Amino acid sequence: MNNKKRLMTGTHFLMGNFACAEGTIAAGCGFVSGYPITPASEVVNRLAQRIPQLGGIFLQTEDEISAICSAIGASWTGRKAMTATSGPGISLMQENIGFALATETPLVIVDVQRLGPSTGVPAIGVSGDMVQVARGSHGDYQIIALSPASPQEMFDLTIRAFNLAEEYRVPVFLMADAFVGHMREQVIIPDEDQLEIVDRKTLKSGVDPRDPMKRQDFLDVDVAPMPILGRGFRAHVTSSCHDEHGMRNLSDPEIMDRYVLNPIHKILKKRHEIVQLEADYSGAEIALVSYGTVSRSAKAAAQLARQEGLKVGTLRLVTCWPFPDAEIRQMAESVELVLVLENNTGQIYPYIKSEAAHACRVEFLGPKILGQIHEPEYIVSHIKEMVR
Amino acid sequence: MSVSIHPMRKYMRTHVTATTTCPGCGNGIVTQAILRAIEELALDMEDFVFVSGIGCSAWIPSPLFAADTLHTTHGRPIAFATGVKLCLPEKNVLVASGDGDLTAIGGNHLIHACRRNIDVTVVLVNNGIYGMTGGQTAPTTPRGVTTITNPYGTLEHTFDICAMAGAAGASYVARWTTYHPRQLRRSIRRGIQKKGFALIEAVSQCPVQFGKVTKMGKAVDILRHFKENSIRVEKARDQEMDVLEGKIVVGEFVDVDKAELSAEWVRLNRQLTEDLS
């Protein structure tokens, strides 16, 4: 595909990482930065070719720290910005993920996960970053993370990630992995008018006061309009504890409280709109809970189990953060066993258990060999053992 | 009683009535040099985005300057500024930060900004110490002096920032001390005008930490040291290395014109979108 059109409407056979790049373009992204890393490189490789033709900028940075910092800088100029990486890059980005949160910067971070710890195995898809994206930067905060299960969703959820980032002024993570990133499947790119694209609220030139002390730029639980740099607003942007005007304050406990809590409440207040799930456990006694690539196995396993007369259903977390706690509780109260399937040693499992264990039995099942996708037959045989 | 208002007050946020700067600090001299350079160029504060990192001198523009001010994480202001400048090529992007911020933790970003030759003006305030955290050794601390973390004297060699910036490809590189405020102001002016990466190193006094831990004394003592030990680059070129030991070489080291990154992106975007239509 060497097409120079912006939106490549049509039906394609596309690699997941390429579909993510096309989603980035469809969402209207104008600045992409990145540092080469397996298994995420194809996202930026493609954007390096496509984005400049569309008036956007691609910057290959000296490291992932610079990738996220330059993207945050670009976002403050009003452009939609993104960077793509894998676990080691996320580790390097953590400090400035915190900066983006503290300054309420819209940003999309694509994480095509791989086996860790450390350099680990670059091309093996293990969901190793599910907690580090939510808890890895210091301090308390709330991010949004979406977990795609197909190349089609690498397109669709990339657009949703941009929309959420813009709507809530928050970094949003697309939690892919090497499997879904390198998987090739049918991807349908719709017409322009079928796409829902959200742009951030910004201060309008010539209308608002030129002094941040006369307006609210930050800490609004209903999301303050962004005072874009370069438009004469004389905005002050700092990740140090600040008030509604963006001015640093290290002495007023009430401002400290709002500095931490308001950006969290901003997301949790709209949790019901952000959380996206696929639930198919009505009448089931056993629910398989999963996300991302593994949810494909979970669906196949549930089908197999039902053929064998077992009452097995599924719950797939499309949104992993904010954590869908109410939905997990609701599910737990209608089944007897929750089996959590993850391609790791159980990163989301404790969060699910804490919401479900009051109502039913909760177990974890990793793949037979870490880094391989759960085989449906393997899942079914474990279900049989558990209910025997 | 008549009230006298500092001529540079017009460039400052009205609600900011105090700075974090210690008595005797060189930050005030550098602040004036930046603002007077802007005044001399007849530029408006709205023509600028100021970016700073973490450390004493990162407080020069933030929150003082009545402009867009982006106060970033430790060592990263140049990385942030790169994203800002690429998207706002028509604006002047000026980074003010310290030697620890820009050459220790942020050294890699400085090297690559020089190499990219992106049109960002960096005013690097070099006080030779970690001041805000209480007098620890910096890469710029003179060799042999005592600090909090080198109580037996520093063993490591001192970073020559200007030599590094020139070697890495910056378009404009100059060094002055706070004893040279007019020369400093002229170089900042030149750096802002330069279409390319400009690094202006301002060797500055820190009496409260540097002066105390190295026993070099108060602000006036350190300024006197700058006066007595500064040597112009033109003169230094003919000197033997041992003569230059302990000297501060000041002046303009690099002043060249070459392709600049944000302008290259404007050109490339235009060329590719024309191809498309």
Side-chain angles (χ1 to χ4, degrees):
Chain A
M1 285 201 347
N2 194 16
N3 200 318
K4 289 183 179 177
K5 277 192 301 186
R6 197 184 81 80
L7 190 64
M8 305 199 46
T9 302
T11 304
H12 308 275
F13 184 66
L14 214 53
M15 186 200 286
N17 281 345
F18 282 179
C20 172
E22 292 304 320
T24 299
I25 290 163
C29 178
F31 184 92
V32 177
S33 56
Y35 185 85
I37 187 167
T38 305
S41 294
E42 295 87 0
V43 179
V44 289
N45 291 355
R46 187 178 185 85
L47 287 168
Q49 193 213 3
R50 294 268 283 137
I51 278 276
Q53 297 169 333
L54 305 165
I57 285 167
F58 168 71
L59 181 71
Q60 184 173 326
T61 51
E62 55 275 21
D63 54 30
E64 286 89 346
I65 300 170
S66 184
I68 185 167
C69 293
S70 56
I72 295 169
S75 183
W76 271 96
T77 71
R79 291 203 193 198
K80 295 185 185 182
M82 77 91 86
T83 181
T85 187
S86 188
I90 297 288
S91 297
L92 284 176
M93 289 181 185
Q94 287 291 7
E95 181 189 31
N96 292 292
I97 289 169
F99 183 93
L101 283 151
T103 55
E104 302 181 60
T105 306
L107 181 67
V108 171
I109 302 168
V110 175
D111 181 4
V112 189
Q113 300 168 89
R114 63 191 231 182
L115 187 146
S118 193
T119 41
V121 184
I124 293 295
V126 163
S127 301
D129 306 335
M130 297 308 295
V131 176
Q132 83 148 332
V133 295
R135 300 282 184 266
S137 195
H138 50 279
D140 289 305
Y141 56 88
Q142 181 66 57
I143 54 101
I144 297 174
L146 310 175
S147 194
S150 66
Q152 180 67 54
E153 287 188 351
M154 288 291 278
F155 178 83
D156 297 338
L157 292 182
T158 297
I159 296 175
R160 181 145 201 263
F162 274 97
N163 287 349
L164 290 166
E166 292 288 310
E167 184 162 2
Y168 298 110
R169 277 181 65 180
V170 69
V172 179
F173 292 85
L174 186 79
M175 302 304 292
D177 63 30
F179 295 120
V180 74
H182 288 160
M183 188 185 293
R184 287 158 175 85
E185 261 181 1
Q186 175 176 284
V187 174
I188 297 170
I189 298 181
D191 285 324
E192 189 88 57
D193 57 10
Q194 288 174 311
L195 290 173
E196 194 208 332
I197 303 297
V198 177
D199 295 321
R200 71 190 71 172
K201 277 189 290 181
T202 59
L203 275 180
K204 296 287 174 260
S205 295
V207 176
D208 295 276
R210 289 298 198 243
D211 179 0
M213 299 309 286
K214 294 178 183 145
R215 51 175 206 251
Q216 178 167 9
D217 291 346
F218 299 93
L219 308 185
D220 185 349
V221 290
D222 294 319
V223 191
M226 210 168 155
I228 299 299
L229 302 183
R231 297 184 187 173
F233 296 122
R234 303 181 183 221
H236 186 49
V237 184
T238 175
S239 65
S240 288
C241 178
H242 51 259
D243 62 17
E244 282 72 6
H245 314 296
M247 296 300 160
R248 184 178 186 246
N249 187 311
L250 308 186
S251 58
D252 184 338
E254 288 185 7
I255 290 177
M256 289 179 211
D257 187 71
R258 291 203 295 277
Y259 160 77
V260 178
L261 293 181
N262 285 15
I264 294 174
H265 288 155
K266 180 179 72 174
I267 304 303
L268 294 184
K269 193 180 167 185
K270 293 297 175 77
R271 211 192 58 93
H272 57 285
E273 288 178 18
I274 298 166
V275 166
Q276 183 183 349
L277 299 166
E278 282 177 10
D280 179 22
Y281 58 80
S282 124
E285 290 167 0
I286 301 161
L288 305 177
V289 182
S290 63
Y291 54 86
T293 314
V294 179
S295 63
R296 299 167 72 107
S297 295
K299 271 181 199 161
Q303 213 166 18
L304 263 180
R306 282 182 210 142
Q307 283 165 10
E308 298 188 29
L310 294 162
K311 291 184 173 170
V312 176
T314 55
L315 179 68
R316 176 191 161 205
L317 315 185
V318 180
T319 307
C320 290
W321 305 106
F323 188 67
D325 45 14
E327 292 79 0
I328 297 286
R329 277 199 300 279
Q330 192 186 344
M331 170 205 63
E333 283 158 14
S334 81
V335 298
E336 286 161 25
L337 169 66
V338 165
L339 181 57
V340 180
L341 307 170
E342 296 183 76
N343 197 352
N344 53 37
T345 59
Q347 295 206 356
I348 301 288
Y349 171 57
Y351 296 91
I352 294 171
K353 195 171 180 180
S354 74
E355 297 299 336
H358 69 287
C360 67
R361 188 178 155 201
V362 188
E363 300 288 346
F364 172 75
L365 182 65
K368 196 170 179 181
I369 294 174
L370 199 66
Q372 294 190 347
I373 297 174
H374 299 63
E375 283 178 24
E377 295 79 6
Y378 159 84
I379 299 170
V380 174
S381 75
H382 274 268
I383 293 170
K384 284 180 185 164
E385 268 178 40
M386 284 173 188
V387 297
R388 195 161 50 190
Chain B
M1 196 183 82
S2 69
V3 179
S4 59
I5 295 170
H6 195 284
M8 295 299 107
R9 189 69 177 109
K10 62 187 175 187
Y11 294 128
M12 300 173 191
R13 295 188 198 276
T14 50
H15 78 278
V16 180
T17 53
T19 70
T20 52
T21 299
C22 303
C25 176
N27 269 5
I29 296 171
V30 180
T31 304
Q32 284 214 51
I34 294 170
L35 293 177
R36 286 182 188 276
I38 291 168
E39 186 180 48
E40 284 173 5
L41 290 168
L43 292 169
D44 194 285
M45 289 303 255
E46 292 191 2
D47 300 328
F48 281 84
V49 176
F50 295 95
V51 187
S52 58
I54 298 295
C56 304
S57 48
W59 294 105
I60 288 176
S62 158
L64 189 63
F65 290 3
D68 285 329
T69 42
L70 179 61
H71 199 144
T72 72
T73 46
H74 196 22
R76 316 302 168 205
I78 291 175
F80 281 87
T82 300
V84 172
K85 180 66 189 181
L86 287 174
C87 297
L88 296 175
E90 72 285 3
K91 295 287 172 186
N92 295 299
V93 178
L94 189 145
V95 172
S97 227
D99 48 307
D101 188 79
L102 296 175
T103 73
I105 188 167
N108 201 27
H109 309 307
L110 174 60
I111 291 170
H112 288 277
C114 292
R115 176 184 64 79
R116 291 185 178 111
N117 195 36
I118 186 159
D119 184 22
V120 170
T121 306
V122 175
V123 178
L124 189 158
V125 184
N126 176 6
N127 61 5
I129 203 86
Y130 282 89
M132 219 164 69
T133 47
Q136 295 85 1
T137 305
T140 45
T141 303
R143 188 154 178 253
V145 301
T146 56
T147 70
I148 291 295
T149 46
N150 281 109
Y152 312 109
T154 56
L155 304 174
E156 298 178 12
H157 293 281
T158 307
F159 203 154
D160 186 342
I161 300 164
C162 289
M164 190 285 295
S171 280
Y172 182 78
V173 180
R175 177 192 290 131
W176 299 102
T177 79
T178 40
Y179 185 74
H180 308 91
R182 288 183 178 80
Q183 296 91 327
L184 180 62
R185 185 217 316 153
R186 275 201 294 273
S187 276
I188 292 171
R189 205 174 60 197
R190 181 94 185 104
I192 292 168
Q193 284 179 307
K194 172 63 71 176
K195 191 71 188 163
F197 189 81
L199 177 89
I200 299 100
E201 179 183 349
V203 179
S204 178
Q205 79 277 13
C206 167
V208 170
Q209 299 297 349
F210 183 87
K212 186 174 71 184
V213 298
T214 63
K215 303 181 178 57
M216 280 185 64
K218 298 185 188 313
V220 173
D221 303 319
I222 304 173
L223 281 165
R224 189 176 296 121
H225 172 84
F226 291 164
K227 178 189 176 188
E228 289 166 0
N229 290 282
S230 292
I231 176 167
R232 291 291 296 248
V233 57
E234 296 80 6
K235 205 173 160 190
R237 283 196 183 111
D238 304 326
Q239 303 289 329
E240 300 295 329
M241 283 299 280
D242 57 330
V243 178
L244 295 176
E245 186 71 37
K247 297 287 183 198
I248 304 164
V249 181
V250 296
E252 293 179 316
F253 298 87
V254 179
D255 189 353
V256 296
D257 293 310
K258 56 181 173 179
E260 185 276 324
L261 187 65
S262 68
E264 287 293 289
W265 267 102
V266 170
R267 182 190 59 74
L268 180 66
N269 281 150
R270 191 177 295 137
Q271 179 195 322
L272 291 173
T273 45
E274 275 169 13
D275 286 355
L276 193 58
S277 57

